Amino acid sequence: MQLRRRGLLAGLAGLSPALAAAAPSPAAPPAWGGMGQAAGRGGMGGLAAQRGILFGATLTQGQVVESAEMVRIATEEMAMLVPGFEFKWPGLRPGPWEFDFTGADAMLTFAEARQQAVRGHALVWHGALPGWFGDGPADAMGMRTLLRHHITTVAGRYAGRIHSWDVVNEPVEPWDNRPDGLRDSPFLRRMGLDYIDLAFRWAAEADPTARLALNEYGVEMATPEQDARRTALLKLLEGMLRRGVPVHALGIQAHLSAAAWRDFDPAVLRGFIRRVAALGLECYVTELDVTDRGLPPEVAVRDAAVAHTYRTFLDAALAEPSVTLVALWGISDRFTWMNDSRFARREDGLPTRPHPFDPAFQPKPAWGAIGDALRGAPRR
């Protein structure tokens, strides 16, 4: 999921004046005592707030500048925004000891002017590192110094303004053949398991008000591979809590496949969420989208299958009261990472239709399915 990161991030650096022009007069940032401003919103964000769910979507500087329709939908429907590139290392770190907050500051201003919550994604992720990083410092102390400087600087700059941070993203990979199931990332190779604990402790010190999440993909399906990932995640979370690490939530990315939905068992997902909740943690759905790879070319067939996938996943997840946040990983098919991913793009070369609005920004069956799920049965 590289999302054309490097080229896009380089091109977005100078867009903040146009972004600022798209925003109404700035308002005070929301407070995180509960749902913040979500309960008073209209649109889908207001509907979700009635069930105690903070609802929003990812958005980037480029999308805001390019499309007034994206601005309209994000403003009217979302209670929360997740900057898609602007908090990642390549957008923030032009050099080992340099920071460029132009994009991140602009996205915060944009959201706060609309009284929207903001999620930070992500403080530590092996999959989005700048070119200068290479394999990172050669020793544990150098990596520790670099990582602490990054987390303290970034989380500290936005302290009190971020609802939640994905502190460590995708730390688990059972097929890397470690006994603990962790991913063989440059952070793990240099610092060992401590890198996860320390990242959360440093984030909590830098911003004591933010909710801190461990974010992972591939935990919703009833397959041996995903069962192994669930097992490794639970082991990791249990260890963190025993050690007193300040983790508050597990983020479930939920990059779903409509063609593979036969392997979905609601009982498996709900059982996993309940085990996480039994540890005293919330669950967030952090990157929800649905690829139509493997489906027939007919648009109506694809859209119906994608809508069904959104609905059945959300019906299962939202039945659990520990699920308190849902973030879509895309609003319109006009802007999607999936056409550039070998894992998600269609084999026949047709553009994918994974999001709830089509390329002309018209709502698709998926948007209705999401609304129906948010209106669903009481949570218990």
Side-chain angles (χ1 to χ4, degrees):
M1 302 177 191
Q2 294 305 308
L3 311 182
R4 293 184 290 179
R5 283 187 189 91
R6 298 184 191 272
L8 281 172
L9 284 165
L12 289 173
L15 292 177
S16 59
L19 179 67
S25 300
W32 308 130
M35 294 301 295
Q37 300 295 324
R41 298 190 68 85
M44 203 71 84
L47 178 65
Q50 295 174 21
R51 294 187 76 194
I53 299 161
L54 184 59
F55 178 84
T58 185
L59 192 70
T60 69
Q61 275 189 294
Q63 292 166 5
V64 169
V65 172
E66 182 175 336
S67 173
E69 282 296 291
M70 285 288 280
V71 171
R72 179 189 64 78
I73 295 169
T75 300
E76 293 178 357
E77 302 288 353
M78 308 302 168
M80 168 188 62
L81 296 179
V82 189
F85 300 118
E86 291 77 12
F87 285 133
K88 293 187 175 82
W89 282 56
L92 287 174
R93 303 298 304 274
W97 305 109
E98 302 170 58
F99 290 86
D100 181 356
F101 292 107
T102 304
D105 285 353
M107 290 303 291
L108 259 292
T109 298
F110 179 88
E112 289 175 354
R114 290 159 173 78
Q115 291 287 280
Q116 291 167 309
V118 176
R119 291 204 77 235
H121 174 81
L123 289 172
V124 185
W125 185 27
H126 70 281
L129 294 169
W132 57 259
F133 187 92
D135 291 328
D139 64 310
M141 185 55 67
M143 183 68 86
R144 178 183 173 125
T145 300
L146 178 66
L147 192 59
R148 182 168 194 171
H149 181 58
H150 178 84
I151 293 171
T152 300
T153 302
V154 177
R157 180 181 182 87
Y158 300 114
R161 301 170 68 188
I162 301 294
H163 169 274
S164 51
W165 277 106
D166 289 331
V167 179
V168 179
N169 192 42
E170 300 177 3
V172 166
E173 183 46 82
W175 308 130
D176 280 353
N177 296 317
R178 289 177 50 92
D180 53 19
L182 295 182
R183 182 181 296 276
D184 184 25
S185 73
F187 303 106
L188 183 69
R189 287 195 293 273
R190 297 290 185 267
M191 295 175 59
L193 174 62
D194 281 353
Y195 94 88
I196 299 174
D197 290 8
L198 289 170
F200 276 83
R201 295 187 192 282
W202 294 332
E205 291 172 2
D207 185 357
T209 67
R211 306 294 288 171
L212 305 181
L214 189 77
N215 198 44
E216 190 55 86
Y217 75 97
V219 300
E220 63 280 335
M221 303 296 281
T223 65
E225 177 184 357
Q226 296 205 10
D227 186 57
R229 185 169 280 110
R230 287 188 289 268
T231 299
L233 266 175
L234 286 168
K235 180 179 178 182
L236 173 59
L237 290 168
E238 289 166 354
M240 292 172 68
L241 291 168
R242 279 197 308 271
R243 295 187 292 272
V245 176
V247 56
H248 307 125
L250 173 68
I252 297 172
Q253 291 185 13
H255 294 295
L256 311 178
S257 168
W261 205 234
R262 61 186 176 275
D263 292 325
F264 178 68
D265 182 346
V268 170
L269 176 63
R270 293 190 65 180
F272 176 65
I273 291 172
R274 287 178 179 179
R275 292 189 67 182
V276 174
L279 299 176
L281 302 177
E282 294 178 285
C283 283
Y284 300 157
V285 177
T286 55
E287 303 181 28
L288 177 60
D289 54 21
V290 181
T291 179
D292 63 11
R293 177 185 173 93
L295 294 178
E298 292 80 12
V299 166
V301 173
R302 287 193 272 158
D303 285 358
V306 166
H308 173 74
T309 305
Y310 274 107
R311 177 68 193 271
T312 53
F313 172 81
L314 286 173
D315 279 349
L318 299 184
E320 297 300 324
S322 64
V323 177
T324 59
L325 181 149
V326 174
L328 305 177
W329 210 242
I331 294 172
S332 165
D333 297 334
R334 175 77 64 87
F335 304 100
T336 181
W337 62 273
M338 289 192 178
N339 288 328
D340 302 308
S341 166
R342 65 187 180 91
F343 299 106
R345 65 174 175 253
R346 291 182 58 84
E347 303 93 325
D348 57 14
L350 290 173
T352 57
R353 295 177 61 86
H355 303 306
F357 289 81
D358 70 14
F361 305 102
Q362 296 303 303
K364 295 160 49 183
W367 189 238
I370 292 167
D372 288 343
L374 290 172
R375 296 184 191 92
R379 285 133 64 82
R380 60 187 184 276

